[in-house]
Amino acid sequence: MINIAVLGYGTVGSGVVEVIETNKGMVDKKATHELNVKYILDLRDFPEDPYGDRVVHDVNIILNDDTVGIVCETMGGVGAAYQFTRQALERGKSVCTSNKELVAKHGPELLKIAGEHNCNYLFEASVGGGIPIIRPLNYSLTAERIDAITGILNGTTNYILSKMEREGADFDEVLKEAQEKGYAERNPEADVEGHDACRKIAILSSLMLGKNVDSEKIFTEGITKITAADFLYAKEAGYTIKLLARAKRQGDSETLAMVAPFLIPKDHPLAMVNDVFNAVFVTGNMLGDSMYYGRGAGKLPTASAVVSDVIDCARHQGKVITCFWDEEEARLSDVGETKRAFFLRVKSSAGQKVQEAFPGGRVIEAGKGGEIGYITGPVKEREFQAKYEALGGEAFNRIRLF
Ligand code: HSE
């Protein structure tokens, strides 16, 4: 039997207990050991809960109990969660987590501590919720040089954009409705400004490179400026708009990493990923393209991924599961120097100016009076931005093309 402790009895933590208990026979068989939830750490008491008698308020009870082999960190944050994770690993207890913020910030350091203490730090649930993506990158695709990863990694923003497209509604209206229904957080900044997707692509790109990609150095732009009018033009031109998190090798030594809304062709597999669903599109140099799709959030999908890590730890007791993610910093490309096409929406009066500034593009008409859309040819970001800013009040918006 292996004793388990769950740190944080919120949505994911209670989901972990539910998955272990609901699928008990199967989980134990696959773990090759009986798994027993011995402790649940939380500030609160849960007297009505069937597992209420396992609740403790002092982490030392867990840390000092040598019979606890695996800890599930489902607290979130980078304060107490970081301390408790370190302490558990230093005592040789494996830790499984859904905490993307902590993995993005301290991943290589925690992996190193785990390795030094002959235990494991696993984080399948930190990206894409229930979608298996960390394990494919660590196990199934190890024969590949991964050249690019492009993901729809945030369910809240994908829900908002899908609804804007379907209903012709504006951002504020859809966000408000999503908040009322509980799909979006009351403070939606981390989602709508792209920070959540940024942390997730930092984790994926670090695994792609085997080096550390610092999430704070990733160019990140959110979706708050996207309008219903942008969708009209996108549709007319054969595109949809998605918040994409991208990491792409540029030559031998650099990687382009960014999060931003993009116009993506309607027939691209990622364009078909709608509502709260997430997907990760991986390009390897031997396999070519593969895509991983599913529920990127939610209690049971996320908990299922945590429990899959618990099973992996149980199967590998006393052995370190190799994960290539060194502390060495990866070199990121200057986004301003990268070339791509852009979509712009400007006042009709600026139509001529735009065509002269970006020759060789195409005009898009969407039946909206007083304005036109335009798709440029490939242009350096920095050059585009300077010319776009020079349009001043005559420009309404600009979005990159995938
Ligand atoms: N806020 C996140 C999302 C939850 O909307 O995708 C999962 O990380």
Side-chain angles (χ1 to χ4, degrees):
M1 187 170 79
I2 298 177
N3 285 327
I4 292 166
V6 176
L7 311 186
Y9 204 42
T11 308
V12 181
S14 59
V16 166
V17 176
E18 189 175 334
V19 170
I20 290 175
E21 295 306 326
T22 307
N23 288 347
K24 183 126 192 65
M26 216 166 8
V27 164
D28 288 352
K29 194 170 169 196
K30 289 177 183 166
T32 64
H33 292 84
E34 187 190 344
L35 302 181
N36 172 50
V37 178
K38 185 167 182 184
Y39 301 112
I40 294 166
L41 179 79
D42 207 284
L43 293 170
R44 302 161 292 180
D45 279 310
F46 298 87
E48 307 301 324
D49 191 282
Y51 300 91
D53 59 337
R54 329 252 170 124
V55 173
V56 295
H57 306 300
D58 178 2
V59 73
N60 290 309
I61 296 171
I62 296 165
L63 295 172
N64 293 332
D65 185 337
D66 291 337
T67 74
V68 173
I70 303 170
V71 170
C72 301
E73 186 271 293
T74 50
M75 302 168 61
V78 292
Y82 171 58
Q83 296 305 336
F84 297 170
T85 300
R86 274 192 70 127
Q87 289 168 328
L89 294 171
E90 281 163 359
R91 284 166 170 79
K93 301 180 195 302
S94 288
V95 177
C96 308
T97 189
S98 55
N99 186 343
K100 62 224 156 187
E101 203 181 345
L102 184 59
V103 177
K105 192 157 183 195
H106 294 291
E109 178 200 341
L110 294 169
L111 281 164
K112 195 165 164 227
I113 296 173
E116 285 164 0
H117 293 85
N118 223 23
C119 58
N120 288 292
Y121 184 53
L122 301 186
F123 43 90
E124 182 61 71
S126 65
V127 180
I131 306 173
I133 182 61
I134 304 295
R135 209 164 275 109
L137 290 175
N138 264 346
Y139 284 71
S140 326
L141 300 175
T142 39
E144 296 287 314
R145 183 191 68 218
I146 308 286
D147 288 328
I149 299 179
T150 307
I152 293 176
L153 300 178
N154 182 267
T156 305
T157 46
N158 205 41
Y159 172 84
I160 292 172
L161 292 174
S162 304
K163 210 163 157 65
M164 284 174 74
E165 177 176 45
R166 223 172 15 239
E167 298 177 6
D170 260 318
F171 173 79
D172 291 335
E173 191 185 323
V174 178
L175 172 62
K176 192 162 166 270
E177 196 192 316
Q179 283 172 312
E180 280 162 8
K181 287 188 173 159
Y183 296 157
E185 303 277 346
R186 220 168 278 162
N187 178 0
E189 191 185 333
D191 292 315
V192 300
E193 296 294 357
H195 305 312
D196 176 76
C198 168
R199 289 177 194 127
K200 293 169 177 167
I201 196 67
I203 297 170
L204 296 183
S205 51
S206 296
L207 295 176
M208 164 174 130
L209 300 169
K211 292 183 186 169
N212 192 44
V213 174
D214 182 348
S215 64
E216 287 176 20
K217 295 193 180 139
I218 296 179
F219 175 92
T220 300
E221 187 179 298
I223 64 162
T224 54
K225 293 193 183 118
I226 304 295
T227 64
D230 295 326
F231 273 105
L232 281 181
Y233 288 92
K235 187 175 176 200
E236 201 55 43
Y239 294 85
T240 186
I241 304 168
K242 294 289 183 193
L243 181 71
L244 299 181
R246 299 204 72 196
K248 189 170 183 274
R249 284 183 197 267
Q250 312 254 89
D252 287 339
S253 58
E254 285 197 358
T255 300
L256 173 71
M258 65 188 296
V259 174
F262 280 85
L263 253 66
I264 181 167
K266 270 284 192 191
D267 58 0
H268 191 286
L270 285 170
M272 296 159 206
V273 177
N274 286 313
D275 301 312
V276 294
F277 283 90
N278 283 197
V280 189
F281 192 83
V282 179
T283 306
N285 69 334
M286 297 290 137
L287 170 69
D289 297 332
S290 58
M291 190 161 103
Y292 309 82
Y293 168 88
R295 291 191 182 275
K299 177 177 172 166
L300 294 176
T302 309
S304 170
V306 176
V307 175
S308 78
D309 282 345
V310 171
I311 292 172
D312 225 2
C313 289
R315 286 176 176 177
H316 292 92
Q317 280 195 105
K319 288 195 204 112
V320 178
I321 300 167
T322 310
C323 176
F324 293 100
W325 182 353
D326 293 343
E327 287 179 285
E328 183 189 341
E329 286 289 312
R331 271 184 60 190
L332 298 187
S333 309
D334 175 357
V335 171
E337 288 299 303
T338 56
K339 262 189 170 182
R340 61 171 51 82
F342 283 81
F343 160 75
L344 311 87
R345 206 156 55 75
V346 297
K347 282 188 182 163
S348 303
S349 56
Q352 187 67 27
K353 228 186 280 177
V354 165
Q355 289 179 61
E356 282 165 15
F358 306 106
R362 65 174 168 134
V363 173
I364 316 290
E365 300 278 1
K368 272 186 79 74
E371 61 173 77
I372 62 152
Y374 191 74
I375 292 180
T376 72
V379 51
K380 259 192 196 174
E381 277 246 8
R382 189 160 286 121
E383 182 190 332
F384 173 85
Q385 197 57 28
K387 290 180 177 174
Y388 176 75
E389 278 164 21
L391 293 167
E394 286 187 299
F396 297 126
N397 204 3
R398 94 289 180 267
I399 305 172
R400 297 168 182 83
L401 262 76
F402 180 65

